[in-house]
Amino acid sequence: LASTMSEGAIDSLQNGILGGLHSLLPTESSLCVHRVLLVAMSAVLVLIALYDFPVLEIFLVTNMLCTCSFLPFLLGALESEVARAAITEGSLLLSIFASVLAVCVCGVVEQWGQVQGRGVLGNV
């Protein structure tokens, strides 16, 4: 039962990836090209899975990405013309990158000197 449920989840993810690829690639490209790209992407994911990353760290990274991208995506859903003109694909990606960078910098500043028993600002 568990393997069937996992296969169903993987199939759904692959269908979503294939739909995203279909919207990004030119309309002249065939379905065979999309399927080959999907198999290549799946092979990369299998190699990453075989590398034996700790699952908790992967979930923490994906949670950080989702949390940092929530506000830019929410602002992109606004219906006003001013928001549609200001929020483009580039600004959305830049804001997500900036939020991930800010969270990483805050984490480094918080954890930097804890091995030696002091913070970044000294013995605070």
Side-chain angles (χ1 to χ4, degrees):
L1 180 64
S3 63
T4 303
M5 291 178 66
S6 294
E7 181 60 35
I10 291 169
D11 184 48
S12 297
L13 287 172
Q14 286 180 333
N15 283 334
I17 291 170
L18 187 61
L21 280 176
H22 181 70
S23 68
L24 292 175
L25 293 175
T27 56
E28 300 86 33
S29 60
S30 69
L31 183 60
C32 184
V33 171
H34 296 182
R35 287 183 178 163
V36 167
L37 286 173
L38 180 66
V39 168
M41 289 175 66
S42 297
V44 170
L45 293 176
V46 166
L47 290 175
I48 290 172
L50 291 175
Y51 190 68
D52 198 28
F53 283 115
V55 175
L56 182 60
E57 290 178 12
I58 294 172
F59 283 134
L60 290 174
V61 169
T62 56
N63 284 342
M64 183 182 76
L65 285 174
C66 289
T67 304
C68 289
S69 60
F70 170 73
L71 187 60
F73 279 122
L74 182 68
L75 292 174
L78 295 175
E79 294 291 330
S80 71
E81 291 298 321
V82 175
R84 291 199 185 264
I87 301 172
T88 62
E89 292 170 354
S91 66
L92 180 76
L93 291 175
L94 182 64
S95 62
I96 292 171
F97 176 74
S99 16
V100 168
L101 185 65
V103 169
C104 290
V105 166
C106 287
V108 167
V109 167
E110 177 67 30
Q111 299 295 321
W112 185 267
Q114 292 203 7
V115 175
Q116 292 85 16
R118 55 189 165 85
V120 174
L121 301 175
N123 293 329
V124 178

